[in-house]
Amino acid sequence: MLMTLIQKEMMHHILSVRFVALLLMCVLLIPLTLSIGYRKYRQNLTNYQESVNQARSEAKENPPDAQNPNIEVSKLFLKPSPLSVFANGLEEVLPTHLGMTRNGIRTGSTALAQAPLAYVLGNLDFLFVVGTVFSLLALLFTFDAVAGEREAGTLRINLSNSLPRDVFLWSKLIGGYVVFVVPFLVSFLLGLLILVGQGFPLGEFGVAAPVLGLTLISLLYIAVFFTIGVFISTYLDSSKTTLIVAFTFWVFAVLIAPRGAFTVAKLVSPTRTQQTVYTEKTALRNNLAKEKQERLNKKIRETLGTSFQVTPEIKKELDEVRKPINEEFRLKFQNQANKIDKEYEREKNRQEQIGEMLSRITPTSSLIYSAINLTQTGKLKRDLYFQTGERYHNQLDNSYFSGISDDVMAQVQQIVDRQMNNSSESEEIPPPPTLTEPALSETMRRSSVDVLLLGFFALAFTTMAFLKFFRTDI
């Protein structure tokens, strides 16, 4: 009996105008967005390679003047992820490079700086299509699943026979869901074939596994909105009212709540900007440099007097005077700058955690978080990027910046030594490390909470729909 009702429900949807609209959406949107996303990725990869080569060439031809604490002596560039084809995530808002200066890390421009108008209009990628378009289509498929039958009088006729209510409701859910996901999966497979034809490395395990995970999460997300549509339809008698309520819910769950949660988080837990933090560290260095120069001058006068000639012996003695003072102030700056950075990180993390927690009241946020983690364009990739930059800056601070003094006499001496030895300053700078991709096991672990939430939403709305339908007086 269940199979018969499922087939009847499938034929009802296939012969409707909604199925034609769904088919057109799938065939046009999914392959098109994947193809556009891959072209965009290849362009970003080309820009990344050109930027790396240009930075190396400039460092070789014109070594940076590290005496200036605001000059970037080296850059760590962000390599785009091939999985950004499916979800842009945070890649467009992350800085294209992290510049290493003695005052700290300076962030380069983002991709949005080149196309701010496109950002205002929004991104069209696979994640947007699933999260926004198909969630609405799922509600349109199910808003009259029960209310329409009740309004037409066929629900009373069907249930007057020996038809269990759970079988009737399962046929609505399963039949409509199968009709919905088949065009989706076929179009997605077509899009993947187009990507492979363009050179996308789908055969690699590190790419194929996240794509499979993204597919399963998308199917689960669509199932959630199917159950929501049936749940709303069981509570209302009029299909028109059901459509209005379903659309209102979609606007709140997809458009308002995910964005509004972080707006609330900014009001509840405000934080400073990164530029403000950098300015604070610059002011700190300037104050310490002034204090150190006064200390050095006093120590040199006490040791050598007010007039002396720069001989090898005097030079050695000056180095011995400078070394402990330079190291003392370097460590003092490092400790106080670390305190500023840690306080800023605590502010940011607190604000972000509040926003994440509030936004997860809707399934759309869970889909987005799990998808950008799987595609390596989310919070995990961002954290790894900045942590690598911090480690690289600490390496430079210990092996390179520590040998640079703000003392005027020491700066002149270093310039003379460099010219006499005819050496390039860039040879002393350690190269930036390779930015590794997040491990697949870590991305799966980070996504598990959101996948469980999607499963909870599907189970909860299905249960409430069945409980309401069993208690409804037909």
Side-chain angles (χ1 to χ4, degrees):
M1 181 183 294
L2 178 61
M3 290 303 300
T4 302
L5 289 174
I6 290 175
Q7 291 174 4
K8 176 177 175 291
E9 187 69 20
M10 290 173 62
M11 289 303 300
H12 169 71
H13 283 297
I14 291 173
L15 297 176
S16 67
V17 178
R18 284 177 286 192
F19 180 75
V20 177
L22 170 66
L23 194 59
L24 289 175
M25 287 286 187
C26 291
V27 173
L28 292 177
L29 281 181
I30 295 179
L32 179 63
T33 53
L34 292 180
S35 180
I36 292 175
Y38 186 64
R39 291 182 181 180
K40 185 176 181 180
Y41 159 72
R42 294 188 65 176
Q43 182 61 50
N44 291 338
L45 184 61
T46 301
N47 293 339
Y48 161 78
Q49 293 170 343
E50 290 178 352
S51 299
V52 171
N53 294 334
Q54 182 180 356
R56 290 175 180 171
S57 177
E58 290 178 352
K60 187 175 182 180
E61 295 176 1
N62 300 305
D65 179 17
Q67 297 292 349
N68 187 338
N70 294 312
I71 292 295
E72 298 176 357
V73 301
S74 185
K75 297 178 181 179
L76 174 66
F77 287 91
L78 176 65
K79 185 177 181 179
S81 168
L83 291 168
S84 61
V85 169
F86 302 94
N88 288 318
L90 297 175
E91 276 205 349
E92 289 193 345
V93 297
L94 288 176
T96 54
H97 74 270
L98 299 179
M100 305 296 138
T101 75
R102 287 202 292 146
N103 275 343
I105 299 176
R106 295 184 65 178
T107 56
S109 62
T110 65
L112 296 177
Q114 301 173 359
L117 189 58
Y119 174 71
V120 171
L121 297 176
N123 289 318
L124 182 62
D125 55 12
F126 177 76
L127 180 58
F128 171 81
V129 172
V130 174
T132 304
V133 178
F134 284 95
S135 60
L136 179 59
L137 290 175
L139 290 178
L140 294 179
F141 256 66
T142 55
F143 77 94
D144 60 348
V146 178
E149 296 268 11
R150 183 186 291 113
E151 203 172 29
T154 55
L155 180 62
R156 182 185 297 272
I157 296 173
N158 288 329
L159 295 182
S160 63
N161 299 316
S162 56
L163 175 63
R165 294 194 177 195
D166 60 333
V167 173
F168 174 81
L169 203 56
W170 276 122
S171 68
K172 291 290 183 181
L173 280 168
I174 297 174
Y177 184 72
V178 171
V179 171
F180 194 96
V181 299
V182 168
F184 169 77
L185 290 174
V186 171
S187 300
F188 186 55
L189 179 60
L190 176 62
L192 291 178
L193 291 175
I194 293 174
L195 287 181
V196 171
Q198 293 176 338
F200 183 73
L202 186 61
E204 299 178 6
F205 177 76
V207 175
V211 170
L212 177 61
L214 182 62
T215 306
L216 296 177
I217 290 172
S218 301
L219 294 176
L220 179 58
Y221 176 75
I222 292 172
V224 170
F225 274 86
F226 254 83
T227 60
I228 292 172
V230 172
F231 164 72
I232 295 173
S233 186
T234 58
Y235 270 79
L236 300 172
D237 297 330
S238 171
S239 57
K240 291 182 180 179
T241 305
T242 305
L243 177 61
I244 295 173
V245 172
F247 183 73
T248 303
F249 176 86
W250 176 83
V251 171
F252 172 79
V254 177
L255 302 181
I256 296 177
R259 296 164 177 81
F262 284 91
T263 302
V264 173
K266 289 179 181 179
L267 297 175
V268 174
S269 179
T271 181
R272 294 167 290 175
T273 64
Q274 194 165 16
Q275 185 60 39
T276 302
V277 173
Y278 185 83
T279 302
E280 289 181 12
K281 291 196 289 186
T282 302
L284 172 64
R285 176 176 288 278
N286 293 337
N287 292 335
L288 290 177
K290 183 178 179 181
E291 182 182 346
K292 183 178 70 172
Q293 188 64 50
E294 293 175 355
R295 177 101 165 265
L296 277 172
N297 293 339
K298 182 179 178 181
K299 189 68 175 178
I300 290 172
R301 285 195 301 268
E302 292 175 353
T303 306
L304 302 175
T306 55
S307 61
F308 56 85
Q309 293 181 346
V310 180
T311 62
E313 293 77 12
I314 296 296
K315 178 182 174 183
K316 184 178 180 181
E317 195 169 352
L318 284 173
D319 290 339
E320 292 176 354
V321 170
R322 289 194 196 98
K323 188 174 181 180
I325 297 177
N326 285 339
E327 183 64 17
E328 176 189 344
F329 278 86
R330 186 183 73 85
L331 293 176
K332 185 181 291 187
F333 171 77
Q334 193 177 57
N335 292 335
Q336 295 187 29
N338 286 340
K339 290 180 181 179
I340 295 174
D341 287 335
K342 288 179 180 178
E343 180 62 28
Y344 176 58
E345 286 299 320
R346 280 196 295 268
E347 291 176 2
K348 286 200 307 179
N349 291 337
R350 184 167 59 247
Q351 184 185 94
E352 192 170 73
Q353 287 171 2
I354 293 174
E356 279 188 87
M357 180 182 64
L358 294 176
S359 66
R360 282 193 169 102
I361 64 173
T362 68
T364 302
S365 297
S366 294
L367 169 72
I368 292 173
Y369 295 147
S370 57
I372 61 178
N373 278 331
L374 286 173
T375 57
Q376 299 172 359
T377 59
K379 185 178 177 180
L380 185 59
K381 175 69 173 288
R382 180 201 64 187
D383 294 345
L384 184 62
Y385 179 40
F386 285 111
Q387 288 169 6
T388 304
E390 288 290 343
R391 287 196 299 269
Y392 182 42
H393 187 269
N394 291 336
Q395 179 189 2
L396 287 175
D397 192 57
N398 293 327
S399 62
Y400 181 70
F401 292 145
S402 58
I404 299 172
S405 175
D406 291 315
D407 179 19
V408 178
M409 294 183 61
Q411 291 178 6
V412 173
Q413 182 179 317
Q414 289 170 356
I415 294 173
V416 171
D417 291 343
R418 190 163 59 246
Q419 291 176 346
M420 290 179 61
N421 297 329
N422 195 24
S423 62
S424 174
E425 196 174 341
S426 61
E427 294 175 356
E428 304 173 11
I429 303 176
T434 302
L435 184 62
T436 58
E437 297 292 345
L440 182 60
S441 58
E442 182 65 16
T443 60
M444 293 295 186
R445 188 186 67 81
R446 289 286 188 99
S447 302
S448 59
V449 174
D450 295 297
V451 173
L452 291 175
L453 275 175
L454 287 175
F456 169 77
F457 281 123
L459 181 62
F461 282 108
T462 302
T463 302
M464 288 189 292
F466 274 88
L467 291 176
K468 174 61 179 177
F469 191 59
F470 285 153
R471 298 177 59 185
T472 301
D473 187 14
I474 306 299

